[in-house]
Amino acid sequence: MDPYTDDLRLPRARLEPDARATVRCRDCRATFPRRDVHLPTKGTLRCPECDSGAIADID
């Protein structure tokens, strides 16, 4: 039994998600993709429009 052939029967994981994460600024109400968020310091998200830290995920 070849150890590499068993892996070929496993379902393949999709690398590209179906939906992109979208966030909203609670101060200026701008909606934008999460990848466009300004990151001045690691762990702090800032709005690219008004530089506010009030960022929330859209449900």
Side-chain angles (χ1 to χ4, degrees):
M1 178 178 224
D2 184 9
Y4 300 107
T5 56
D6 288 341
D7 185 48
L8 297 176
R9 291 181 286 181
L10 296 173
R12 297 289 125 209
R14 295 191 62 218
L15 298 177
E16 202 56 39
D18 290 336
R20 301 279 182 208
T22 305
V23 294
R24 176 177 289 143
C25 176
R26 290 189 296 257
D27 290 340
C28 72
R29 309 302 282 168
T31 303
F32 43 89
R34 186 175 175 89
R35 69 176 179 265
D36 292 344
V37 172
H38 180 60
L39 297 165
T41 311
K42 184 177 179 178
T44 61
L45 303 178
R46 294 283 183 188
C47 175
E49 301 289 326
C50 69
D51 203 39
S52 170
I55 303 295
D57 289 332
I58 294 178
D59 292 329

